[in-house]
Amino acid sequence: GDPQNFMDQLVTNIEKIFSTEPVHLYANASYIPDELNSRYDELWTPGRMDRVIKVLVDKKIAMEINDRRKIPSAAFIKRAKAAGVKFTFGTNNAGGDDLGKLAYCVAMIEQCGLKPEDMWMPKEKK
């Protein structure tokens, strides 16, 4: 169909779900289907990123940096960091050796200037 319409629906659904459901982490943050991935930078416009970032900040939801899919982009991470979003790392656990790599996550730490205080930590149960 229409990729722009798809993205508008995707962002609207993210806003609706994150505004109403108890969510702590946005896993596979900024994922779009493989057939659209070559247009990632075009489709994830600053306006769309900012809408998602706003709901993450408002609801205190962390953004996963996914090593396997290499998402979100550095531009998205930098915008989110500037707004105060916290981050976590993930791999989708596709195999037993996934957790030892995290090369994309490490690259994003360096490229985006992430510090320990930018990382999400689960709250202790009382």
Side-chain angles (χ1 to χ4, degrees):
D2 176 3
Q4 298 295 340
N5 183 28
F6 170 81
M7 290 300 296
D8 290 339
Q9 289 182 47
L10 175 65
V11 171
T12 297
N13 285 333
I14 290 168
E15 290 171 320
K16 285 179 184 176
I17 291 167
F18 290 175
S19 292
T20 59
E21 298 294 326
V23 177
H24 299 283
L25 301 171
Y26 177 19
N28 288 309
S30 79
Y31 171 80
I32 54 177
D34 291 341
E35 58 268 20
L36 297 178
N37 204 40
S38 66
R39 296 176 62 187
Y40 181 99
D41 292 329
E42 169 196 347
L43 295 171
W44 273 111
T45 63
R48 288 182 179 129
M49 286 189 259
D50 289 346
R51 285 174 58 194
V52 171
I53 290 166
K54 180 180 183 332
V55 75
L56 296 179
V57 169
D58 289 351
K59 296 297 182 173
K60 296 180 176 54
I61 299 170
M63 176 183 277
E64 177 193 65
I65 300 173
N66 188 287
D67 195 70
R68 181 171 161 248
R69 295 194 180 274
K70 298 180 178 29
I71 54 174
S73 67
F76 207 145
I77 294 167
K78 288 176 184 178
R79 287 180 91 83
K81 178 184 186 262
V85 171
K86 300 293 185 186
F87 300 91
T88 186
F89 303 140
T91 65
N92 289 32
N93 294 327
D97 61 344
D98 281 354
L99 297 176
K101 297 177 184 175
L102 300 177
Y104 182 74
C105 298
V106 170
M108 291 301 99
I109 289 171
E110 295 168 358
Q111 189 174 345
C112 301
L114 297 178
K115 306 287 183 210
E117 58 269 19
D118 297 315
M119 304 311 295
W120 176 80
M121 293 297 292
K123 293 180 183 177
E124 290 185 34
K125 290 187 177 187
K126 295 180 182 185

Coordinates of all heavy atoms in Angstrom, one line a residue, residues 17-76:
I17 N -1.4 3.0 22.1 CA -1.1 1.9 22.9 C -0.3 2.4 24.1 O -0.5 2.0 25.3 CB -0.3 0.8 22.2 CG1 -1.3 0.1 21.2 CG2 0.3 -0.2 23.1 CD1 -0.6 -0.7 20.1
F18 N 0.8 3.2 23.9 CA 1.6 3.6 25.0 C 0.9 4.6 25.9 O 1.3 4.7 27.1 CB 2.9 4.2 24.4 CG 3.8 3.3 23.8 CD1 5.0 3.7 23.2 CD2 3.6 1.9 23.8 CE1 5.9 2.8 22.6 CE2 4.5 1.0 23.2 CZ 5.6 1.5 22.6
S19 N -0.1 5.2 25.5 CA -0.9 6.2 26.3 C -1.9 5.4 27.2 O -2.3 6.0 28.2 CB -1.6 7.2 25.5 OG -0.7 8.0 24.8
T20 N -2.2 4.2 26.9 CA -3.3 3.5 27.6 C -2.9 2.2 28.3 O -3.5 1.8 29.2 CB -4.5 3.2 26.7 OG1 -4.0 2.4 25.6 CG2 -5.1 4.5 26.1
E21 N -1.8 1.6 27.8 CA -1.3 0.3 28.4 C -0.1 0.5 29.3 O 0.6 1.4 29.1 CB -1.0 -0.6 27.2 CG -2.1 -1.0 26.3 CD -3.2 -1.8 26.9 OE1 -2.9 -2.6 27.8 OE2 -4.4 -1.5 26.6
P22 N 0.0 -0.4 30.2 CA 1.2 -0.4 31.1 C 2.4 -0.9 30.4 O 2.7 -2.1 30.4 CB 0.8 -1.2 32.3 CG -0.2 -2.2 31.7 CD -0.9 -1.5 30.6
V23 N 3.2 0.0 29.8 CA 4.4 -0.4 29.0 C 5.6 0.2 29.7 O 5.6 1.4 30.1 CB 4.2 0.1 27.6 CG1 5.5 -0.2 26.8 CG2 3.0 -0.4 26.9
H24 N 6.7 -0.6 29.8 CA 7.9 -0.1 30.4 C 9.0 0.1 29.3 O 9.8 0.9 29.5 CB 8.4 -1.1 31.5 CG 7.5 -1.2 32.6 ND1 7.3 -0.3 33.6 CD2 6.6 -2.2 32.9 CE1 6.4 -0.7 34.4 NE2 6.0 -1.9 34.0
L25 N 9.0 -0.8 28.3 CA 10.0 -0.7 27.3 C 9.4 -0.8 25.9 O 8.4 -1.5 25.6 CB 10.9 -2.0 27.4 CG 11.6 -2.2 28.7 CD1 12.3 -3.6 28.6 CD2 12.7 -1.1 28.9
Y26 N 9.9 0.0 25.0 CA 9.5 0.0 23.6 C 10.5 -0.9 22.8 O 11.6 -0.4 22.5 CB 9.5 1.4 23.0 CG 9.2 1.6 21.5 CD1 8.5 0.6 20.8 CD2 9.5 2.8 20.9 CE1 8.3 0.8 19.5 CE2 9.2 3.0 19.6 CZ 8.6 2.0 18.8 OH 8.3 2.2 17.5
A27 N 10.2 -2.2 22.7 CA 11.1 -3.1 22.1 C 11.0 -3.0 20.6 O 9.9 -2.6 20.0 CB 10.7 -4.5 22.5
N28 N 12.1 -3.3 19.9 CA 12.1 -3.2 18.4 C 11.7 -1.8 18.0 O 11.0 -1.6 17.0 CB 11.3 -4.2 17.7 CG 11.9 -5.6 17.8 OD1 13.0 -5.8 17.5 ND2 11.1 -6.6 18.3
A29 N 12.2 -0.8 18.8 CA 11.8 0.6 18.6 C 12.2 1.0 17.1 O 13.3 0.8 16.7 CB 12.6 1.5 19.6
S30 N 11.2 1.6 16.5 CA 11.2 2.1 15.1 C 11.2 1.0 14.0 O 11.5 1.3 12.9 CB 12.4 3.1 14.9 OG 13.6 2.4 14.7
Y31 N 10.9 -0.2 14.4 CA 10.9 -1.3 13.4 C 9.8 -1.0 12.3 O 8.7 -0.6 12.7 CB 10.6 -2.6 14.1 CG 10.3 -3.7 13.0 CD1 11.3 -4.3 12.4 CD2 9.0 -4.1 12.7 CE1 11.1 -5.3 11.5 CE2 8.7 -5.0 11.7 CZ 9.8 -5.7 11.1 OH 9.6 -6.6 10.2
I32 N 10.2 -1.2 11.1 CA 9.3 -1.1 10.0 C 9.5 -2.4 9.1 O 10.6 -3.0 9.2 CB 9.4 0.1 9.1 CG1 10.8 0.4 8.6 CG2 8.8 1.3 9.9 CD1 10.9 1.6 7.7
P33 N 8.5 -2.9 8.4 CA 8.7 -4.1 7.6 C 9.9 -4.0 6.7 O 10.3 -2.9 6.2 CB 7.4 -4.2 6.8 CG 6.4 -3.4 7.6 CD 7.2 -2.3 8.3
D34 N 10.5 -5.2 6.4 CA 11.7 -5.3 5.6 C 11.5 -4.6 4.2 O 12.5 -3.9 3.7 CB 12.1 -6.7 5.4 CG 12.6 -7.4 6.7 OD1 13.0 -6.6 7.6 OD2 12.6 -8.6 6.7
E35 N 10.3 -4.7 3.6 CA 10.1 -4.1 2.3 C 10.2 -2.6 2.3 O 10.3 -1.9 1.3 CB 8.9 -4.6 1.6 CG 7.6 -4.3 2.4 CD 7.2 -5.5 3.3 OE1 8.0 -6.3 3.7 OE2 6.0 -5.5 3.7
L36 N 10.1 -2.0 3.5 CA 10.2 -0.5 3.7 C 11.5 0.0 4.3 O 11.8 1.1 4.3 CB 9.0 0.0 4.6 CG 7.6 -0.2 4.1 CD1 6.6 0.3 5.1 CD2 7.4 0.5 2.7
N37 N 12.3 -1.0 4.8 CA 13.5 -0.6 5.5 C 14.5 0.2 4.7 O 15.2 1.0 5.3 CB 14.1 -1.9 6.1 CG 15.0 -1.5 7.3 OD1 14.5 -0.7 8.1 ND2 16.1 -2.1 7.4
S38 N 14.5 0.0 3.4 CA 15.5 0.8 2.6 C 15.1 2.3 2.6 O 15.9 3.2 2.3 CB 15.5 0.3 1.2 OG 14.3 0.5 0.5
R39 N 13.9 2.6 3.1 CA 13.4 4.0 3.1 C 13.2 4.5 4.6 O 12.6 5.5 4.8 CB 12.0 4.1 2.4 CG 12.1 3.7 0.9 CD 10.7 3.7 0.3 NE 10.1 5.0 0.3 CZ 8.8 5.2 -0.1 NH1 8.1 4.2 -0.6 NH2 8.3 6.4 0.0
Y40 N 13.9 3.8 5.5 CA 13.8 4.1 6.9 C 14.0 5.6 7.2 O 13.2 6.2 7.9 CB 14.9 3.3 7.7 CG 14.9 3.5 9.2 CD1 14.3 2.6 10.0 CD2 15.5 4.6 9.8 CE1 14.3 2.7 11.4 CE2 15.5 4.7 11.1 CZ 14.9 3.8 11.9 OH 14.9 4.0 13.3
D41 N 15.1 6.2 6.7 CA 15.4 7.6 7.0 C 14.3 8.5 6.4 O 14.0 9.6 7.0 CB 16.8 8.0 6.6 CG 17.9 7.3 7.4 OD1 17.6 7.0 8.6 OD2 18.9 7.0 6.8
E42 N 13.8 8.2 5.3 CA 12.7 9.0 4.7 C 11.4 8.9 5.5 O 10.7 9.8 5.7 CB 12.5 8.5 3.3 CG 11.3 9.1 2.6 CD 10.9 8.3 1.3 OE1 11.7 7.5 0.8 OE2 9.8 8.6 0.8
L43 N 11.1 7.6 5.9 CA 9.8 7.4 6.5 C 9.7 7.8 8.0 O 8.7 8.2 8.5 CB 9.4 5.9 6.3 CG 9.1 5.5 4.9 CD1 9.0 4.0 4.8 CD2 7.9 6.2 4.3
W44 N 10.9 7.6 8.7 CA 10.9 8.1 10.1 C 11.3 9.6 10.1 O 12.5 9.9 10.3 CB 11.9 7.2 10.9 CG 11.2 6.0 11.5 CD1 11.4 4.7 11.1 CD2 10.2 6.0 12.5 NE1 10.6 3.9 11.9 CE2 9.8 4.7 12.7 CE3 9.5 7.0 13.2 CZ2 8.8 4.3 13.6 CZ3 8.6 6.6 14.1 CH2 8.2 5.3 14.3
T45 N 10.4 10.4 9.7 CA 10.6 11.8 9.7 C 10.8 12.4 11.1 O 10.4 11.8 12.1 CB 9.4 12.6 9.1 OG1 8.3 12.3 9.9 CG2 9.1 12.0 7.7
P46 N 11.4 13.6 11.2 CA 11.6 14.2 12.5 C 10.2 14.3 13.2 O 10.1 14.1 14.5 CB 12.2 15.6 12.2 CG 13.0 15.3 11.0 CD 12.2 14.3 10.2
G47 N 9.2 14.7 12.5 CA 7.9 14.8 13.1 C 7.3 13.5 13.7 O 6.8 13.5 14.8
R48 N 7.5 12.4 13.0 CA 7.1 11.1 13.5 C 7.9 10.7 14.7 O 7.4 10.2 15.6 CB 7.2 10.1 12.3 CG 6.1 10.3 11.3 CD 6.1 9.2 10.2 NE 5.1 9.4 9.3 CZ 5.3 9.5 7.9 NH1 6.5 9.3 7.4 NH2 4.2 9.7 7.1
M49 N 9.2 10.9 14.6 CA 10.1 10.5 15.7 C 9.7 11.3 16.9 O 9.5 10.7 18.0 CB 11.6 10.9 15.4 CG 12.2 9.9 14.4 SD 14.0 10.2 14.3 CE 14.1 11.1 12.8
D50 N 9.4 12.6 16.8 CA 9.1 13.4 17.9 C 7.7 13.0 18.6 O 7.6 13.1 19.8 CB 9.0 14.9 17.5 CG 10.4 15.5 17.2 OD1 11.4 14.9 17.6 OD2 10.4 16.6 16.6
R51 N 6.8 12.6 17.8 CA 5.5 12.1 18.3 C 5.7 10.9 19.2 O 5.2 10.8 20.3 CB 4.5 11.8 17.2 CG 3.9 13.0 16.6 CD 3.1 12.7 15.4 NE 2.0 11.8 15.7 CZ 1.2 11.2 14.7 NH1 1.5 11.4 13.5 NH2 0.3 10.4 15.1
V52 N 6.6 9.9 18.7 CA 6.9 8.7 19.5 C 7.7 9.1 20.7 O 7.4 8.7 21.8 CB 7.6 7.7 18.6 CG1 8.1 6.5 19.5 CG2 6.7 7.2 17.5
I53 N 8.7 10.0 20.6 CA 9.5 10.4 21.7 C 8.6 11.1 22.8 O 8.8 10.8 24.0 CB 10.6 11.3 21.2 CG1 11.6 10.5 20.4 CG2 11.3 12.0 22.4 CD1 12.6 11.3 19.6
K54 N 7.7 11.9 22.4 CA 6.8 12.6 23.3 C 6.1 11.6 24.2 O 6.1 11.7 25.4 CB 5.9 13.5 22.6 CG 4.9 14.2 23.6 CD 4.0 15.1 22.9 CE 3.1 16.0 23.8 NZ 2.8 15.5 25.1
V55 N 5.5 10.6 23.6 CA 4.8 9.6 24.5 C 5.7 8.8 25.3 O 5.4 8.4 26.5 CB 3.8 8.7 23.6 CG1 4.5 7.6 22.8 CG2 2.7 8.1 24.5
L56 N 6.9 8.5 24.8 CA 7.9 7.8 25.7 C 8.3 8.6 26.9 O 8.3 8.1 28.0 CB 9.1 7.4 24.9 CG 9.0 6.5 23.7 CD1 10.3 6.3 23.0 CD2 8.4 5.2 24.1
V57 N 8.5 9.9 26.7 CA 8.9 10.8 27.8 C 7.7 10.9 28.7 O 7.8 10.8 30.0 CB 9.3 12.2 27.3 CG1 9.4 13.2 28.4 CG2 10.6 12.0 26.5
D58 N 6.5 11.2 28.2 CA 5.3 11.4 29.0 C 5.0 10.2 29.9 O 4.6 10.4 31.0 CB 4.1 11.8 28.1 CG 4.2 13.1 27.5 OD1 5.1 13.9 27.8 OD2 3.3 13.4 26.6
K59 N 5.2 9.0 29.4 CA 4.8 7.8 30.1 C 6.0 7.1 30.7 O 5.9 6.0 31.3 CB 4.1 6.8 29.2 CG 2.7 7.4 28.7 CD 1.8 7.6 29.8 CE 0.4 8.1 29.4 NZ -0.5 8.2 30.5
K60 N 7.2 7.7 30.6 CA 8.4 7.2 31.2 C 8.7 5.7 30.7 O 9.0 4.8 31.4 CB 8.4 7.2 32.7 CG 8.4 8.6 33.2 CD 8.3 8.6 34.7 CE 8.4 10.0 35.3 NZ 7.4 11.0 34.9
I61 N 8.6 5.6 29.3 CA 8.9 4.3 28.7 C 10.3 4.4 28.0 O 10.6 5.3 27.4 CB 7.8 4.1 27.6 CG1 6.4 4.0 28.2 CG2 8.1 2.8 26.8 CD1 5.3 4.0 27.2
A62 N 11.0 3.3 28.3 CA 12.4 3.2 27.8 C 12.4 2.7 26.3 O 11.4 2.0 25.9 CB 13.2 2.3 28.6
M63 N 13.4 3.1 25.6 CA 13.5 2.7 24.2 C 14.6 1.7 24.1 O 15.8 1.9 24.5 CB 13.9 3.9 23.3 CG 14.1 3.6 21.8 SD 14.6 5.1 20.9 CE 13.0 5.7 20.5
E64 N 14.3 0.5 23.5 CA 15.3 -0.5 23.2 C 16.1 -0.2 22.0 O 15.6 0.2 21.0 CB 14.6 -1.9 23.0 CG 15.6 -3.0 22.6 CD 14.9 -4.2 22.1 OE1 14.4 -4.1 21.0 OE2 15.0 -5.2 22.7
I65 N 17.4 -0.3 22.2 CA 18.3 -0.3 21.0 C 18.6 -1.8 20.7 O 19.1 -2.5 21.5 CB 19.7 0.4 21.4 CG1 19.4 1.8 21.8 CG2 20.6 0.3 20.2 CD1 20.6 2.6 22.3
N66 N 18.1 -2.2 19.5 CA 18.1 -3.6 19.1 C 19.3 -3.9 18.2 O 19.5 -3.4 17.1 CB 16.8 -3.9 18.3 CG 16.7 -5.4 18.1 OD1 17.3 -5.9 17.3 ND2 15.8 -6.0 18.9
D67 N 20.2 -4.7 18.8 CA 21.4 -5.1 18.1 C 21.2 -5.9 16.8 O 21.8 -5.7 15.8 CB 22.3 -5.9 19.1 CG 23.7 -6.0 18.6 OD1 24.4 -4.9 18.6 OD2 24.2 -7.1 18.1
R68 N 20.2 -6.8 16.9 CA 20.0 -7.7 15.7 C 19.5 -6.9 14.5 O 19.9 -7.1 13.4 CB 19.0 -8.8 16.1 CG 18.7 -9.8 15.0 CD 17.9 -11.0 15.5 NE 17.3 -11.7 14.4 CZ 16.0 -11.7 14.2 NH1 15.2 -11.1 15.1 NH2 15.5 -12.3 13.2
R69 N 18.5 -6.1 14.8 CA 17.9 -5.3 13.7 C 18.6 -4.0 13.4 O 18.3 -3.3 12.4 CB 16.4 -5.0 14.0 CG 15.6 -6.3 14.1 CD 14.1 -6.0 14.0 NE 13.3 -7.2 14.1 CZ 13.0 -7.9 13.0 NH1 13.4 -7.6 11.8 NH2 12.2 -9.0 13.2
K70 N 19.5 -3.6 14.3 CA 20.2 -2.3 14.1 C 19.3 -1.1 14.1 O 19.4 -0.3 13.2 CB 21.2 -2.4 13.0 CG 22.2 -3.4 13.1 CD 23.2 -3.5 12.0 CE 24.3 -4.6 12.2 NZ 24.0 -5.7 13.0
I71 N 18.4 -1.1 15.0 CA 17.4 0.0 15.2 C 17.3 0.4 16.6 O 17.6 -0.4 17.5 CB 16.0 -0.4 14.7 CG1 15.5 -1.7 15.3 CG2 16.0 -0.5 13.1 CD1 14.1 -2.1 15.0
P72 N 16.9 1.6 16.9 CA 16.6 2.7 16.0 C 17.9 3.3 15.4 O 19.0 3.0 15.9 CB 15.9 3.7 16.9 CG 16.1 3.3 18.3 CD 16.6 1.9 18.3
S73 N 17.7 4.2 14.5 CA 18.9 4.9 13.9 C 19.5 5.8 14.9 O 18.9 6.2 15.9 CB 18.4 5.7 12.7 OG 17.6 6.8 13.1
A74 N 20.8 6.2 14.6 CA 21.5 7.1 15.5 C 20.7 8.5 15.6 O 20.6 9.1 16.7 CB 22.9 7.4 15.0
A75 N 20.1 8.9 14.5 CA 19.4 10.2 14.6 C 18.2 10.1 15.5 O 17.9 11.0 16.3 CB 18.9 10.5 13.2
F76 N 17.5 8.9 15.5 CA 16.3 8.7 16.4 C 16.8 8.7 17.9 O 16.3 9.3 18.8 CB 15.6 7.4 16.0 CG 14.2 7.3 16.3 CD1 13.3 6.7 15.5 CD2 13.6 7.9 17.5 CE1 12.0 6.6 15.8 CE2 12.3 7.8 17.8 CZ 11.4 7.1 16.9

